[in-house]
């Protein structure tokens, strides 16, 4: 049954990037991600209660997981009226898998045998792989596969098949969306949405309170506490989109190619002080791994705690008394954590200097990120089966720590190729154990996703990495 549409335009604000075309290969901000995800459908996404299918009806492997078959809905049309066919999915995967034009996402498709990928019929695609990938549904197909029409040539006002069309795009990260009347799903209630870049959390909440916007995305814990009893707005905390906050030490560059220094950093940090001071007690202590509370997380490992004496000795043994840190508020609290770290390292005899990068510029320079010895970093909390191949190992999509030892690669590859779920879990536990002991990720805490919106904004639902489903929102009078 088609839902009754009540209309209205949602004014949605979040951290914005430098602005450009709506190119699924190069999305640098959460604001641009929301615009893109409204204009383009996905094969599927991870939801709070499991897999949420999009244009895919099913995605299944063969017996040894060297080939995946995708069956598509037959009622999907792009905004120009053209029906979705399997060749469009093949084009989408090649589009994302091109190393030259899609440097951030190409590694996720490196196992695909592009030459042999073929449409069986209009709504069935076979994806052959160069090696077994029993994890491919979680780690690739349902992680990030926007559906792009074959031969797309306009990414300013792109031709997607999603619940909204792009009406205007000034390339400053502000996008006007209008309802797609022909969407295959339940008709969105909204007439449209406008995405508005406001990079400062305090400015976002003030814009909401003054009535300039309807929805403020990704706010600081301090704002969440200050406004939680405000009757004029609704504050919501969500595990979807919760983030692991920390510091990345690049294991391929001095001085963090020295394992003693990585261990010293992990022992010098006061995690509880970070959670109390930065998150105001609204988070959980991290243990240098992602996936806390999710299936496959290695909770057998001991919780690291501060050992100032041992840290001081390791810094001295490594000959380190000064360090520099690149910091950016790409997630609420990262700059405050950097400032706390200055004092904590000083207690271990190390002087830390901070170089702050504007948040709207941080992820626009991947070459700088991948060559920086020490920097703030956050990751959306995802299960290990998704996080590990994306951010660690020699085949990672994006590996800011450059951690890729042969032992880790072996454990991860075994997990990816193992069909038996129990055996696969054991390989994942082993991979996490190696990362915990030797890696360059210092995850000190987890912060919930904090949202605030006006009371007339109803039916707010999130999916995947904290993506707000504009198609579900209803504006009440």
């Amino acid at each position: 049954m088609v839902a009754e549409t009540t209309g209205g335009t949602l004014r949605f604000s979040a951290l914005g990037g430098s602005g450009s075309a709506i190119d699924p290969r190069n999305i640098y901000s959460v604001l641009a991600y929301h615009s893109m995800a409204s204009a383009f459908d996905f094969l599927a996404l991870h939801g709070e209660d499991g897999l949420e299918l999009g244009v895919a009806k099913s995605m299944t492997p063969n017996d040894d997981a060297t080939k995946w078959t995708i069956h598509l809905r037959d009622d999907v049309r792009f905004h120009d009226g053209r029906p979705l066919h399997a060749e469009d999915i093949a084009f989408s995967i090649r589009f994302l898998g091109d190393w030259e034009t899609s440097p951030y996402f190409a590694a996720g498709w490196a196992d695909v045998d592009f030459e042999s990928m073929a449409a069986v019929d209009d709504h069935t695609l076979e994806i052959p792989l160069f090696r077994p990938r029993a994890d491919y549904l979680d780690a690739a197909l349902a992680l990030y596969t926007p559906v792009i029409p074959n031969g797309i040539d306009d990414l300013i006002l792109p031709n997607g098949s999603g619940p909204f069309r792009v009406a205007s795009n000034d390339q400053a990260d502000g996008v006007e969306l209008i309802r797609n009347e022909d969407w295959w799903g339940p008709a969105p209630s909204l007439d449209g949405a406008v995405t508005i870049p406001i990079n400062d959390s305090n400015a976002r909440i003030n814009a909401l309170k003054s009535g300039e916007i309807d929805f403020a995305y990704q706010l600081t814990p301090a704002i969440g506490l200050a406004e939680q009893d405000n009757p004029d707005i609704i504050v919501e905390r969500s595990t979807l989109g919760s983030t692991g906050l920390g510091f990345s030490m690049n294991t391929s560059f001095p001085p963090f190619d020295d394992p003693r220094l990585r261990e010293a950093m992990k022992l010098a940090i006061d995690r509880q002080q970070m959670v109390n001071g930065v998150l105001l007690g609204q988070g959980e202590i991290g243990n240098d791994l992602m996936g806390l509370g999710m299936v496959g997380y290695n909770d057998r490992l001991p919780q690291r705690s501060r050992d100032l004496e041992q840290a001081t000795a390791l810094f001295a043994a490594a000959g380190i008394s000064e360090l520099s840190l690149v910091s950016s508020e790409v997630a609420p609290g990262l700059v405050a954590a950097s400032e706390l770290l200055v004092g904590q390292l000083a207690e271990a005899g190390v002087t830390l200097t901070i170089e702050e990068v504007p948040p709207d510029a941080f992820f626009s320079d991947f070459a700088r990120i991948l060559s920086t010895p020490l920097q703030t970093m956050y990751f959306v909390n995802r299960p290990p089966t998704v996080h590990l191949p994306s951010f660690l190992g020699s085949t990672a999509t994006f590996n800011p720590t450059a951690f890729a030892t042969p032992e880790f690669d072996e454990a991860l590859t075994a997990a990816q190729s193992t069909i038996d779920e129990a055996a696969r879990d054991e390989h994942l536990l082993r991979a996490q154990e190696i990362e915990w002991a030797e890696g360059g990720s210092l995850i000190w805490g987890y912060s919930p996703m904090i949202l605030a919106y006006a009371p007339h904004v109803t039916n707010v639902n999130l999916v995947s990495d904290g993506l707000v489903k504009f198609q579900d929102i209803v504006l009440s009078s």
Side-chain angles (χ1 to χ4, degrees):
M1 180 177 178
V2 177
E4 180 183 355
T5 60
T6 58
T9 297
L10 177 74
R11 298 165 299 171
F12 178 89
S13 183
L15 174 67
S18 56
S20 64
I22 303 175
D23 184 346
R25 299 165 299 187
N26 298 285
I27 295 295
Y28 297 129
S29 75
V30 294
L31 194 68
Y33 180 44
H34 278 83
S35 296
M36 187 277 297
S38 296
F40 292 95
D41 279 315
F42 289 82
L43 286 177
L45 287 171
H46 296 285
E48 193 167 15
D49 299 320
L51 193 69
E52 291 193 13
L53 291 173
V55 301
K57 291 198 300 185
S58 66
M59 293 180 280
T60 55
N62 61 357
D63 289 343
D64 63 357
T66 57
K67 180 185 292 184
W68 284 78
T69 300
I70 299 176
H71 293 284
L72 299 171
R73 300 178 63 99
D74 60 7
D75 57 351
V76 180
R77 291 186 177 274
F78 290 103
H79 296 159
D80 64 0
R82 182 164 64 81
L84 168 70
H85 287 157
E87 284 293 348
D88 296 300
I89 304 302
F91 176 83
S92 301
I93 292 172
R94 293 189 179 98
F95 187 83
L96 294 168
D98 187 326
W99 285 96
E100 184 174 344
T101 58
S102 182
Y104 182 70
F105 296 108
W109 304 100
D111 287 324
V112 175
D113 181 355
F114 292 116
E115 291 187 4
S116 300
M117 183 168 54
V120 177
D121 55 43
D122 281 351
H123 299 104
T124 308
L125 178 70
E126 290 185 346
I127 306 175
L129 305 177
F130 290 119
R131 64 186 177 108
R133 287 295 303 271
D135 66 331
Y136 217 52
L137 177 58
D138 287 338
L141 298 174
L143 178 62
Y144 184 81
T145 312
V147 176
I148 302 148
N150 193 350
I152 191 170
D153 58 3
D154 183 359
L155 291 169
I156 304 300
L157 303 175
N159 176 34
S161 62
F164 293 87
R165 303 168 185 259
V166 179
S168 67
N169 174 18
D170 62 7
Q171 298 192 65
D173 235 355
V175 174
E176 179 186 357
L177 302 160
I178 57 174
R179 182 172 59 231
N180 175 16
E181 302 288 354
D182 298 320
W183 192 49
W184 55 268
S189 172
L190 295 174
D191 289 329
V194 178
T195 62
I196 303 168
I198 303 177
N199 291 335
D200 180 77
S201 292
N202 290 310
R204 283 201 294 279
I205 193 66
N206 288 336
L208 175 63
K209 291 163 69 175
S210 69
E212 296 173 47
I213 62 174
D214 305 299
F215 201 121
Y217 183 86
Q218 201 175 43
L219 300 172
T220 65
I223 291 173
L225 278 181
E227 303 295 342
Q228 65 184 7
D229 296 322
N230 184 342
D232 297 324
I233 63 173
I234 296 170
V235 175
E236 180 180 341
R237 294 171 178 83
S238 173
T239 55
L240 284 174
S242 66
T243 52
L245 305 177
F247 305 94
S248 284
M249 300 173 283
N250 194 312
T251 61
S252 67
F253 285 94
F256 294 102
D257 55 348
D258 186 338
R260 295 174 299 178
L261 191 55
R262 302 197 294 272
E263 182 69 12
M265 290 287 292
K266 294 173 184 178
L267 294 175
I269 194 168
D270 188 330
R271 299 162 195 263
Q272 189 64 64
Q273 185 185 51
M274 289 282 183
V275 170
N276 292 345
V278 176
L279 303 181
L280 304 180
Q282 298 178 85
E284 298 184 69
I285 292 175
N287 196 30
D288 305 326
L289 296 172
M290 292 302 302
L292 181 67
M294 297 187 173
V295 174
Y297 178 77
N298 193 337
D299 55 9
R300 303 174 184 175
L301 298 169
Q303 172 63 56
R304 275 201 175 95
S305 58
R306 195 179 198 208
D307 187 334
L308 191 57
E309 181 179 354
Q310 179 67 6
T312 302
L314 287 169
F315 279 127
I320 296 297
S321 60
E322 296 182 357
L323 289 171
S324 60
L325 167 71
V326 173
S327 179
S328 184
E329 192 75 348
V330 287
L334 288 180
V335 171
S338 303
E339 294 165 350
L340 272 179
L341 187 64
V342 171
Q344 293 177 4
L345 291 187
E347 295 180 68
V350 175
T351 299
L352 179 68
T353 58
I354 298 175
E355 175 194 350
E356 190 168 344
V357 174
D360 58 351
F362 185 80
F363 284 114
S364 64
D365 189 350
F366 286 119
R368 179 196 55 74
I369 292 174
L370 297 176
S371 60
T372 298
L374 178 64
Q375 60 197 313
T376 51
M377 190 60 62
Y378 84 97
F379 299 100
V380 176
N381 193 27
R382 295 166 171 165
T385 188
V386 176
H387 179 83
L388 293 178
S390 297
F391 299 106
L392 294 158
S394 60
T395 60
T397 302
F398 173 63
N399 187 350
T401 66
F403 183 68
T405 65
E407 294 78 13
F408 176 86
D409 277 352
E410 181 181 352
L412 181 58
T413 299
Q416 292 175 320
S417 60
T418 300
I419 303 295
D420 181 79
E421 188 173 344
R424 182 167 68 246
D425 287 346
E426 285 301 316
H427 292 304
L428 282 172
L429 292 172
R430 174 58 181 156
Q432 292 172 82
E433 181 182 356
I434 296 167
E435 183 206 354
W436 184 86
E438 304 173 19
S441 296
L442 200 174
I443 306 298
W444 55 261
Y446 287 84
S447 176
M449 170 66 76
I450 301 176
L451 316 167
Y453 44 90
H456 65 267
V457 177
T458 62
N459 203 39
V460 175
N461 295 308
L462 276 65
V463 72
S464 190
D465 299 336
L467 178 70
V468 179
K469 297 170 71 176
F470 289 178
Q471 63 266 33
D472 287 0
I473 288 178
V474 176
L475 299 182
S476 62
S477 56

